Each structure stands twice: as structure tokens, then as C-alpha cells.
Amino acid sequence: MQTDSASGGACSVPLPARAHLPAGWRDVPVLDIVIPVYNEEKDLGPCVQRLHDHLVRTFPYPFRITIADNASTDRTPEVAARLAASSEEVRYTRLEQKGRGRALRTVWSASDAPVLAYMDVDLSTDLNALLPLVAPLISGHSDLAIGSRLARSSRVVRGPKREFISRSYNLILRGSLQARFSDAQCGFKAIRGDVAGVLLPLVEDTGWFFDTEMLVLAERAGLRIHEVPVDWVDDPDSTVHLVKTATDDLKGVWRVGKALAVGALPLDRLTRPFGDDPRDRQLPGVPRGLARQLVGFCVVGALSTLFYLLLYSGFRTFSGSQVANALALLVSAVANTAANRRLTFGVRGRDRAMRHQAQGLVVFAIGLALTSGSLAALGAASGNASHGTELAVLIAANLAATVLRFLLLRAWVFPEGRYAAAAPEASYELTYAHDPRDAR
């Protein structure tokens, strides 16, 4: 098995290429649905019976329902044990600590099923969305799947308070963590077992923020998240403490955002792990990743130029043009190298970060020579040029240096062969396709 070094000294294990599960699968359940519960003696029995009946009628693969008891103090353990004894498709697991995330991590990590899911005990989500939720994972199309109450075609019945909190929370995620999924906390999600084995060790939260953290890390790592619009009816008897949950979620957003900003998460363990991204294919005459790198470089370059011009204008108020230009270039060069490192060339973690910055400063020196030379030429030609003329000359000089900067970053600072994520051979098949008994 191929391994390589990841941030923080962890080992990166490439995952096999996604593939459709074999049609004749029968040795172990294809789907393991976890129902986390805490003091649900009243609703647990009807919930499990309804879900079991639905799966028997509609699901074409073997399945399992796992009740994960989060240290209940009522008769929930007795009810769960009775349900497990009455059906071979139902299992019961007892945890002595509370936390939905802790329950999901415990059961999913130990499960032998290739597709893992969970849903809330109140069954607020219409069960007709279950097969569309897991189908993309069974087919090998996607890595995770989530139900969305905020999709346009979803049909949701809930009070204005919960609606406001849900939409506000997802707006916060979009603004602070650049999340693109629409609904982080709908209690209706699924993940491939091989992905869970690598992703879950990176998720720290053990409570309600577990879902959000898992989705943010998966999205940042380039995994595919499938969204299913759902019909959802609010449970008026929900025991969720909204204020405490919201507070804990915001703390989680801050923690994850900070970790992502400083590169503390070894997401290179997940980045394009399957080797099946068509954008990574070699095409005659087209350097791999060139189109994406050009787009990223242009976006970073445009933002860096605006940042540089603002810095130059600020420094110019108390210094000469040459000093202002050097200071503005120095500050913007550090930011530019960091942004291109992460966004354009996909290098994550702290490995070689200082070396990259040093090489970026060499590129900066070339840019400084070009722009300073342009300013010197302008001064020699016109004597006392206006501020607007200086800016125009600097813009032209920066555009001229941009092409050279991109070539140097691509060929010298971030050479493709050295930092490309390790991809397994295309001949890899899904581990489960060989022998389901050896799946995990």
C-alpha cells in the first residue's frame, strides 16, 4: 500500500477508486442506518418499526438499523434491546456519554457496511428520500450525501423561529467557511464507508457540530457531496436546546475556520484521493491542471493587485514612490504566495511553507526590479509625473510581470510532480467488490 507524509507527521493512505457496488452483494449489509437516541422510550419503537417496514418494502440491498443510545436514563435501553432481539436487521449499541457526533463516530467506525447513514429518531424527513440519498454512494458517483430542507424543491413545515435560526446558521457557514452545501444540520445524511475511515479521525466535535465539521472538511478536501431535497415536518417535542446548540456551533465555526486558515488540518490525506477526477487526466498538448491553475492564478493576481495598489497609495502618503512600491510589493508578495500556494497549486499544510515563501520573495524581487525600473524610467522621461500616471505605469509593469511570475511559480516554486496528490492506479477497484467479508 502506498503512503506518503502528511501534515503533522500523519500518514496518507490513498483510497481506492469509487465504483458501483456489485449487484450480487449479500454477505454483509450494504447500508447501516444509525439512529442516535437519548431518552426516547416513547418514540423509539414506532420509529424503528416504521423505518424497518419501509426498508423491507423499498430497499433492494441488505440493510441494518443500529440504535446508538447516548447514555439514556429512562427505559430507552429496554426498548432498544427488545427491538434488537425481535429483528436480525436491528442492532443496539450503548454509549455511556452523550453526544450525537460521538454516537455516529463510534458506530460508523466499527461498521462493516460500505454505505453509512443516520437519521433523527423523530423521522421528520420523509423516508421516500432515503433511496435517493444513498443511491449516489452505492453507484460510486458521490462520497457523501445530505438531505436539504433549504433546496428550492424541498417542502418544509416548521415554525418561524427554527426557520430563521437554520437559515442564519447556513449563511454564517457560507460567509465564514465558504461552505457551498445548503443545509448543514438536517438530520439525514450518508457517507461511504471508505471515506468515513479517513475523514472521521479529522473531525473533533462530538456533539451537534459534528455534521458541519465533517461536511466542511470533506468539501475543502474536494470530495463530492450530493444534496437531496426533502419533505420535512418539524417535531414540536424536540429536546434540542437551541441556544446552547447555537453557541456550541459558533464556537465550532471559529475553531474550524482558524485551523483552515493556518493550514493545521492535514486535508492532503483526502484531496483527490480516488484518482478518478477527470480534470487530472493527461490530454495531449494540455498540461495537467493548467486551466484550473490559470483561473486560480488570475483570481489571486487580481485581488493581489488591488491589495498592492491600496498599500502603495497608503505608503505613498508618508514615503517616496520607490519606498512605497517596495513595501507594498513585499507585503502583497507574502499574501500572494500564500494564496497561490493554497488556491492555485493546491499545496496544503505547513510542509515547505517557509521555503515557498523564500522562493516567492525571489519572484517578488523580479517584480520589484520590473516595477522599480518602470518608475525610474517614468521619472527620467517626465520628471514629475502625477499619481494617476504612476499607478497606470505600475499596472502595466505588473501585467508584464504576471506571466513571468506564473511560469516561475508553476515550474520552480510549486513544480507539478513534487506536490501532486498521490493517486492510486486506475485499475484499483472498490475494496468491497473483491470480498465483502474482508471489507473492513
Side-chain angles (χ1 to χ4, degrees):
M1 180 176 291
Q2 181 183 3
T3 61
D4 54 30
S5 178
S7 176
C11 288
S12 173
V13 181
L15 294 174
R18 290 191 301 255
H20 198 300
L21 296 182
W25 190 295
R26 287 295 180 270
D27 287 13
V28 298
V30 166
L31 175 64
D32 192 348
I33 304 178
V34 182
I35 303 177
V37 293
Y38 173 73
N39 290 349
E40 296 287 356
E41 61 179 5
K42 177 181 177 182
D43 295 333
L44 181 57
C47 161
V48 172
Q49 188 61 52
R50 179 182 164 198
L51 175 59
H52 184 273
D53 292 346
H54 177 84
L55 289 169
V56 169
R57 291 195 320 270
T58 65
F59 195 68
Y61 290 94
F63 65 87
R64 177 190 303 136
I65 300 172
T66 301
I67 303 169
D69 178 15
N70 283 131
S72 294
T73 57
D74 63 357
R75 294 183 57 255
T76 295
E78 300 175 26
V79 176
R82 185 169 64 250
L83 290 168
S86 64
S87 173
E88 62 179 10
E89 287 92 7
V90 179
R91 287 187 179 180
Y92 168 55
T93 297
R94 167 80 177 184
L95 289 84
E96 298 304 328
Q97 292 177 289
K98 293 176 64 176
R100 181 179 67 172
R102 179 179 287 107
L104 294 178
R105 186 202 311 279
T106 300
V107 177
W108 281 355
S109 298
S111 180
D112 56 357
V115 177
L116 312 168
Y118 95 89
M119 61 180 60
D120 293 334
V121 68
D122 55 20
L123 296 186
S124 295
T125 304
D126 181 22
L127 292 178
N128 286 327
L130 180 57
L131 189 55
L133 181 80
V134 301
L137 309 186
I138 293 174
S139 70
H141 176 270
S142 300
D143 305 305
L144 299 90
I146 65 174
S148 175
R149 298 163 296 184
L150 302 180
R152 290 186 177 182
S153 56
S154 298
R155 292 176 291 187
V156 177
V157 178
R158 61 178 168 180
K161 181 179 180 180
R162 284 182 174 270
E163 180 76 11
F164 174 77
I165 292 175
S166 178
R167 291 188 178 275
S168 298
Y169 179 65
N170 283 281
L171 284 175
I172 290 173
L173 293 180
R174 288 177 177 270
S176 59
L177 299 179
Q178 289 79 52
R180 295 190 298 273
F181 48 85
S182 65
D183 191 352
Q185 290 197 318
C186 179
F188 195 68
K189 294 183 176 68
I191 184 173
R192 285 174 64 97
D194 50 3
V195 176
V198 182
L199 179 60
L200 294 186
L202 303 181
V203 181
E204 293 185 16
D205 192 79
T206 59
W208 292 95
F209 186 69
F210 176 89
D211 302 48
T212 301
E213 186 171 357
M214 178 181 69
L215 290 173
V216 169
L217 298 186
E219 188 175 72
R220 287 298 187 95
L223 302 184
R224 177 175 284 164
I225 301 174
H226 178 74
E227 294 199 19
V228 178
V230 298
D231 297 344
W232 194 86
V233 179
D234 189 17
D235 177 14
D237 298 324
S238 174
T239 58
V240 177
H241 194 294
L242 294 180
V243 175
K244 183 180 185 304
T245 300
T247 302
D248 291 342
D249 286 347
L250 292 177
K251 291 179 180 178
V253 170
W254 170 259
R255 173 177 56 80
V256 172
K258 181 180 178 181
L260 291 171
V262 301
L265 293 169
L267 295 181
D268 52 340
R269 294 162 67 178
L270 290 166
T271 303
R272 293 181 289 163
F274 301 101
D276 59 356
D277 190 332
R279 296 171 298 181
D280 295 330
R281 297 173 185 167
Q282 287 281 13
L283 299 178
V286 179
R288 186 173 63 185
L290 178 60
R292 279 183 291 166
Q293 290 178 357
L294 280 173
V295 171
F297 182 78
C298 289
V299 172
V300 171
L303 295 176
S304 296
T305 300
L306 291 176
F307 184 47
Y308 160 76
L309 293 175
L310 290 174
L311 289 173
Y312 176 81
S313 297
F315 291 142
R316 190 67 174 86
T317 59
F318 59 83
S319 65
S321 61
Q322 293 287 3
V323 174
N325 176 60
L327 290 174
L329 269 178
L330 178 61
V331 176
S332 60
V334 174
N336 181 277
T337 300
N340 275 310
R341 182 178 189 270
R342 173 65 177 84
L343 301 177
T344 304
F345 298 99
V347 180
R348 297 171 173 83
R350 300 177 182 178
D351 186 39
R352 299 175 182 259
M354 294 303 297
R355 176 177 176 176
H356 294 157
Q357 283 292 350
Q359 292 173 309
L361 289 177
V362 174
V363 178
F364 147 76
I366 297 174
L368 176 62
L370 288 174
T371 53
S372 296
S374 300
L375 284 175
L378 176 63
S382 60
N384 187 21
S386 66
H387 182 63
T389 303
E390 286 183 351
L391 290 180
V393 170
L394 288 173
I395 291 173
N398 271 284
L399 289 175
T402 296
V403 175
L404 180 59
R405 186 183 306 123
F406 176 75
L407 294 175
L408 287 173
L409 288 176
R410 180 179 171 85
W412 179 50
V413 183
F414 307 110
E416 178 180 319
R418 184 178 303 170
Y419 300 103
E425 296 296 329
S427 60
Y428 279 13
E429 296 179 3
L430 184 66
T431 303
Y432 306 113
H434 298 292
D435 187 350
R437 292 168 295 184
D438 299 330
R440 295 184 69 85

